């Protein structure tokens, strides 16, 4: 058995994973919003221990613990820097070394999106395809490209579909640039916009639901609840996000002509099929060859894709 940790901007998901990607036990906790890498690593270790307890194993007896991390990952050393959606995580931090000490197991760190795309390719919705685009719609919007059965990494930075420019001089992105898809579709950007509207006096239940649930951020579940309640601002912002995703994904398809698009991430998995259909519908008008659109799927491994993919950094590779 192997451990897998998916380090997200909103939550830390851990799992003990058996053969064939089977989740034996899992745990999750919110990602700390303050402090620094040490605090995040401590929460990760706690959540991993909780999973291990659930599976009746010691973390030290796991074959290894894989981590899918945002930011710049040095896969050789397991150091991570520039993780923008995490607190005070600009400088390089020895994540693998820190976790390894805390858990008594070997730890490998990979890029969060790459491990999740790899999991969908080996065990999920990407299995039947030689080429597909993985789009992870969550706090940010990540992407991964599979071409001819292999992941296309470019010079190391490929797949940043969230930063496709969909509007010249458009909204400010968390990356500092303007008009990126993520500036409209990322949950982080959507929350900034919702707060702005709320402060201006626009009526919305979003923040009431957030407080009721005891959260400090607008999680995917809060957005879903607001949509179910017919919240107009939530509807408007989600609609804007869907159209932004459609424009960005269609542009990528025009360039790469992949067989399929697999949509995952916190929001993607939570909203599921109906929203993948909406994205698909809005993509249509942007597709250059519009009589042969790619197959569209929700990520099959759901919320566990990141953690399962991270566990695959051991053993099956
Ligand atoms: Zn950007």
């Amino acid at each position: 058995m192997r451990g897998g940790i998916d380090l997200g901007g909103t939550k830390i998901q851990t799992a003990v994973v058996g053969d064939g990607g089977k989740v034996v036990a899992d745990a999750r906790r919110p990602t700390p919003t303050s402090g620094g890498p040490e605090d995040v690593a401590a929460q990760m270790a706690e959540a991993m221990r909780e999973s291990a307890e659930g599976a009746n194993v010691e973390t030290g007896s796991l074959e290894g613990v894989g981590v899918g991390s945002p930011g710049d990952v040095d896969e050789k050393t397991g150091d991570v820097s520039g993780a923008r959606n995490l607190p005070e995580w600009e400088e390089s931090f020895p994540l693998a070394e820190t976790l390894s000490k805390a858990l008594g197991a070997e730890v490998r760190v990979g890029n969060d999106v790459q491990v999740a795309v790899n999991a969908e390719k080996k065990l999920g919705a990407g299995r039947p395809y030689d080429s597909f685009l993985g789009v992870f719609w969550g706090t940010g919007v990540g992407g991964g490209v599979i071409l001819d059965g292999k992941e296309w990494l470019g010079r190391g930075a490929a797949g940043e579909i969230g930063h496709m420019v969909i509007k010249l001089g458009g909204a400010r992105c968390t990356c500092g640039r303007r008009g990126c898809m993520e500036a409209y579709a990322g949950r982080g950007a959507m929350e900034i916009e919702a707060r702005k509207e709320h402060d201006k006096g626009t009526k919305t239940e979003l923040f009431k639901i957030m407080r009721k649930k005891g959260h400090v951020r607008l999680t995917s579940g809060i957005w879903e609840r607001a949509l179910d309640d017919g919240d107009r601002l939530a509807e408007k912002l989600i609609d804007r996000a869907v159209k932004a995703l459609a424009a960005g994904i269609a542009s990528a398809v025009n360039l790469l002509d992949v067989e399929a698009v697999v949509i995952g991430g916190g929001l993607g998995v939570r909203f599921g099929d109906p929203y993948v259909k909406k994205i698909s519908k809005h993509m249509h008008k942007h597709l250059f060859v519009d009589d042969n659109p790619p197959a569209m799927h929700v990520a099959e491994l759901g919320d566990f894709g990141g953690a399962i993919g991270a566990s695959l950094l051991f053993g099956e590779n």
Side-chain angles (χ1 to χ4, degrees):
M1 285 193 284
R2 299 174 276 273
I5 306 178
D6 180 20
L7 173 56
T10 308
K11 68 172 196 291
I12 294 163
Q13 173 77 58
T14 64
V16 172
V17 181
D19 285 337
K22 190 177 176 300
V23 174
V24 182
D26 72 284
R28 64 160 61 174
R29 22 189 91 196
T31 307
T33 52
S34 57
E38 290 86 0
D39 302 275
V40 176
Q43 283 297 309
M44 291 168 77
E46 272 304 305
M48 192 62 241
R49 275 189 214 107
E50 199 183 322
S51 282
E53 264 168 43
N56 275 319
V57 289
E58 297 282 330
T59 54
S61 66
L62 293 168
E63 191 183 330
V65 175
V67 178
S69 170
D72 299 321
V73 175
D74 183 329
E75 292 183 8
K76 287 207 185 78
T77 61
D79 295 351
V80 175
S81 61
R84 271 194 315 270
N85 287 325
L86 300 174
E88 306 289 324
W89 200 324
E90 268 309 313
E91 302 290 306
S92 177
F93 177 77
L95 184 60
E97 192 190 315
T98 308
L99 286 174
S100 181
K101 269 187 203 144
L103 298 170
E106 192 190 337
V107 174
R108 290 180 193 158
V109 185
N111 171 281
D112 54 353
V113 172
Q114 279 164 22
V115 301
V117 170
N118 192 37
E120 286 298 325
K121 175 176 170 283
K122 285 192 170 157
L123 304 164
R127 262 173 312 174
Y129 303 111
D130 274 336
S131 65
F132 75 91
L133 195 61
V135 180
F136 294 86
W137 182 22
T139 307
V141 183
V145 186
I146 302 289
L147 296 175
D148 287 336
K150 279 193 271 260
E151 199 167 354
W152 174 258
L153 299 175
R155 291 171 298 159
E160 291 291 356
I161 196 167
H163 305 281
M164 299 271 285
V165 177
I166 58 157
K167 187 166 185 171
L168 288 175
R172 179 76 73 184
C173 183
T174 46
C175 75
R177 295 164 190 85
R178 281 192 180 279
C180 301
M181 180 164 104
E182 183 171 312
Y184 298 90
R187 192 174 42 211
M190 280 160 57
E191 178 168 337
I192 291 169
E193 190 64 21
R195 281 186 196 279
K196 230 194 276 172
E197 290 273 347
H198 182 59
D199 290 347
K200 275 199 310 202
T202 307
K203 273 208 176 133
T204 177
E205 297 294 308
L206 279 165
F207 298 100
K208 278 181 213 153
I209 301 168
M210 182 186 84
R211 279 190 296 273
K212 219 191 268 170
K213 290 194 169 200
H215 285 297
V216 293
R217 287 187 184 169
L218 297 179
T219 60
S220 302
I222 293 168
W223 283 100
E224 187 184 40
R225 175 67 197 282
L227 286 182
D228 287 347
D229 292 352
D231 187 272
R232 296 281 284 278
L233 180 64
E235 279 171 6
K236 190 180 110 182
L237 293 176
I238 295 283
D239 183 59
R240 198 171 84 132
V242 164
K243 287 175 178 159
L245 286 164
I249 295 170
S251 301
V253 170
N254 287 342
L255 179 69
L256 300 170
D257 193 26
V258 286
E259 293 164 272
V261 176
V262 176
I263 298 186
L267 284 168
V269 168
R270 167 80 60 164
F271 290 158
D273 220 31
Y275 278 81
V276 168
K277 288 208 171 74
K278 280 187 196 191
I279 293 167
S280 175
K281 189 188 114 202
H282 286 289
M283 274 170 63
H284 195 259
K285 57 179 167 286
H286 302 298
L287 289 175
F288 184 66
V289 179
D290 59 5
D291 60 354
N292 190 23
M296 300 287 291
H297 298 282
V298 182
E300 214 172 281
L301 303 172
D303 253 357
F304 289 115
I308 294 171
S311 78
L312 295 179
L313 291 169
F314 285 90
E316 291 178 22
N317 271 2

